[in-house]
Amino acid sequence: MEFEKAWLTYRRNKQLAVLWSTNSVYSNFQGTIAKNAVQELRIAAQEILGCSMIETQCQKEAGVLLLLDENHQVGKEGYEIYQEDGKLFITSGGEAGILYGVFHLARMLQCASKELELPVKKVPDSPLRMLNHWDNMDGSIERGYSGESFFFQKNEILVNDRTRAYARLAASVGINGVVINNVNVKERATWLIDEVFQKELKEMSDIFASYGIRLFLSLNFAAPMELGGLDHADPCSEDVKTWWKEKMKELYTRLPNLGGFLVKADSEGRPGPFTYGRTHADGANMLAEAVKPYDGLIIWRCFVYNCQQDWRDRKTDRARSGYDNFKPLDGQFFDNVILQVKNGPMDFQVREPISPLLGGMEHTNEMLEVQIAQEYTGQQRHVCYLIPMFKEILGFHTYCNKELDTVEDIVTGRTMGNHNCGMAAVANTGNDENWTGHDLAAANFYGFGRLSFDTSLSAEEIAQEWIYCTFGQDKEVLEKIEKILMMSWPAYEKYTSPLGIGWMVNPNYHYGPNVDGYEYDRWGTYHRADHLGMGVERGHEGTGYTQQYREPNASMYDNIETCPEELLLFFHYIPYTYPLKTGKTLIQHIYDTHFEGAEDVEEMATLWESLEAKIPSKVFQRVQKRLEHQKGHSKEWRDQINSYFYRKSMIPDEQNRKIY
């Protein structure tokens, strides 16, 4: 299948003159990353400036110099770009930093009108900047909305031109780690750690490494039983420990660039240490000890589902489970273990409070996990630009430290001074021609990478960069697509889930409205609506979830009057007649926002229609088709939600609009 270049679609920028004295490039290093850095420079110069760059072995003759200095203050992944005596310099302490600098230069050439803003000095904020793919070896993708896998097909590994094209895209926005297979490891995927797939994995690993990316795998905790013939997988058993140590020695001999493993254990039926009466620390540390000689990491996912409940039970609370399971283990994990924590306590809803584990663990490495795959935010059929949400998450004050207490501080290592930390996103790519199904969904892939590298960037700045790089420099295109992106998440929230309640979706595939879809379900995802009000009481008189936060957050969330209204129904049961700060009652807010959200989608579609003459026909039609679907689907959401709560409350809409 053919594939496009996304934001690496370079266009000629006739407003820029050549920025250096000669059309030659010199580099003082010779690795595979160096070759790609030089190649990327030549591609950008040719396609953007019409300048044919040649390599030279003479530093004095070069117009562009890529200089590696292992003692450079910016480190191995940072870079500096500056001009001196008519020459352009890109310098770093590592090859990856040089490559990132070249991509930064290309981005500036794409976005600049006349002159480049130099000098530039950048050091990545997040040590680990990862994509988690949920690809299965049969070629399907769990929660995949952009076609099939380009890593796997029919239980075989694919390594081809698209592998390299993907690595280019990921590296261009600063991604340095990729997990290629689903966290739910079963059947043939269990064998990825065996020698049967090592030839293909070595080829893929080498391609990734040449772009500064480390390959990671998800593994099956029960592999000693399924591959090794043992009758158990007890992490405290010597025979299990020995099996893993031998397996890792064998694996790292063949894959020396392997970054490590992502593990989902004791969650949604996946095997783990609980089977043997052991803790998460026991399981993670056993694996960490096995990979430690090879600088490997164990990334342990904090997605705990062992709190299934009877819907009649009003005290058990799934939102509590992550903190209840992991907080007592703080300080017990080895240094090469990282806990990967979802941004919220539930499951990537359109709005959730921040997980109390972020800031709750004072002596444990943590990574933030977000989802750009839009599982609950429109599945890449609705446009929903998620970077504004991620900015809110990163800026949240946990009060774990007097000064460095935000989620951003924690996952960048500023709070604890650690390096095994960072950000991960559940990926949104597939083998569709445009990579992400919805062309505008590529802004989330691009945006996550840029934000994880430079957390100071605003959602607007990232959107503008992506639009320039993807569609060129037309001002009308920039303004209208930026408006579509920036209004998309608030619009989606308006016509789907009011005030943090979430979950009113069709079970299993999570698309489309179904208010009671999970209301009597074992997973504990309730709205508790009756004829008087709705919401889950999680205060001190309810499940007590609010008490998992540090003060003053605990008291803020516990009190209905001080709880942020956008999360009011997540934390409290609220009568329909309760007055919000706007003066509207809760029920009127529900009616109004659902009508407003559908109207917002109409405006987004109109904005896109006005750009027909300025967008490539194929791209225009793809987005147009999806926005038409979104218009109809947003009205279905509006009508089902409003009708449901009207029938519950029997309180009419003050504006007398049609509610069924």
Side-chain angles (χ1 to χ4, degrees), residues 41-242:
L41 178 68
R42 296 179 68 181
I43 292 171
Q46 180 65 56
E47 297 184 6
I48 301 173
L49 300 175
C51 172
S52 298
M53 299 289 293
I54 59 171
E55 289 187 71
T56 178
Q57 301 301 314
C58 180
Q59 185 169 344
K60 291 182 179 181
E61 294 177 357
V64 181
L65 296 96
L66 310 181
L67 301 180
L68 179 66
D69 176 1
E70 294 182 355
N71 297 316
H72 202 300
Q73 60 180 335
V74 297
K76 293 184 177 181
E77 292 189 312
Y79 54 85
E80 284 192 284
I81 309 174
Y82 59 93
Q83 285 183 287
E84 191 174 283
D85 298 328
K87 298 176 182 293
L88 186 77
F89 292 81
I90 301 178
T91 62
S92 176
E95 291 188 38
I98 299 289
L99 180 64
Y100 296 146
V102 170
F103 277 123
H104 188 119
L105 175 64
R107 188 162 52 243
M108 287 196 295
L109 294 174
Q110 286 174 286
C111 298
S113 56
K114 292 183 179 180
E115 296 180 358
L116 300 186
E117 295 183 7
L118 296 175
V120 169
K121 182 179 179 180
K122 293 289 182 182
V123 177
D125 289 315
S126 303
L128 286 169
R129 306 172 300 279
M130 299 185 66
L131 290 172
N132 292 178
H133 289 263
W134 287 359
D135 294 33
N136 301 310
M137 290 202 65
D138 64 1
S140 64
I141 302 175
E142 185 171 343
R143 311 307 181 194
Y145 312 110
S146 317
E148 297 290 295
S149 173
F150 50 76
F151 291 135
F152 306 108
Q153 186 180 67
K154 297 180 180 179
N155 290 320
E156 298 294 336
I157 296 175
L158 302 175
V159 183
N160 50 36
D161 289 344
R162 189 154 193 164
T163 312
R164 184 171 296 277
Y166 166 79
R168 283 189 72 214
L169 286 173
S172 74
V173 292
I175 298 298
N176 65 358
V178 171
V179 185
I180 61 170
N181 63 307
N182 192 355
V183 290
N184 294 317
V185 184
K186 51 191 175 182
E187 299 171 349
R188 195 60 171 162
T190 300
W191 290 82
L192 285 173
I193 62 172
D194 193 74
E195 63 181 347
V196 64
F197 291 116
Q198 297 317 295
K199 178 181 179 293
E200 295 84 356
L201 285 177
K202 180 64 164 60
E203 292 175 2
M204 185 180 293
S205 176
D206 288 346
I207 291 171
F208 282 4
S210 72
Y211 285 93
I213 299 169
R214 296 182 78 185
L215 170 69
F216 286 75
L217 299 172
S218 294
L219 61 73
N220 185 342
F221 194 83
M225 303 169 66
E226 297 187 25
L227 298 184
L230 300 183
D231 61 1
H232 65 96
D234 183 349
C236 294
S237 170
E238 290 302 320
D239 54 349
V240 171
K241 290 181 180 180
T242 298

Side-chain angles (χ1 to χ4, degrees), residues 237-254:
S237 170
E238 290 302 320
D239 54 349
V240 171
K241 290 181 180 180
T242 298
W243 187 88
W244 278 113
K245 287 179 180 178
E246 292 177 351
K247 177 57 67 177
M248 292 306 166
K249 181 179 180 180
E250 166 193 318
L251 187 58
Y252 274 93
T253 298
R254 294 190 295 265

Side-chain angles (χ1 to χ4, degrees), residues 10 74 120 249 289 306 316 382 470 472 491 644:
Y10 297 146
V74 297
V120 169
K249 181 179 180 180
E289 186 177 9
N306 66 328
T316 302
H382 295 222
T470 305
Y644 179 94

Side-chain angles (χ1 to χ4, degrees), residues 267-268 302-309 313-325 342 344-349 352 356 375-376 503 510 518 521-526 528 536 538 543 545 548 570:
S267 176
E268 294 185 308
C302 297
F303 189 44
V304 181
Y305 258 1
N306 66 328
C307 63
Q308 294 178 33
Q309 64 191 88
D313 175 6
R314 298 242 171 182
K315 285 293 184 182
T316 302
D317 186 0
R318 170 179 160 186
R320 292 184 55 107
S321 65
Y323 188 95
D324 285 344
N325 275 275
K342 285 188 176 184
M346 300 294 269
D347 193 17
F348 302 128
Q349 298 303 292
E352 292 184 55
E375 178 179 353
Y376 297 94
W503 290 106
H510 301 156
Y518 278 111
D521 191 84
R522 61 195 174 116
W523 296 121
T525 50
Y526 314 128
R528 307 286 194 196
V536 180
R538 290 189 164 100
T543 71
Y545 168 76
Q548 292 186 337
F570 184 95

Side-chain angles (χ1 to χ4, degrees), residues 358-372:
L358 293 165
M361 306 286 277
E362 299 178 74
H363 309 289
T364 303
N365 297 321
E366 289 183 304
M367 287 185 70
L368 171 66
E369 179 182 339
V370 295
Q371 187 189 60
I372 57 176

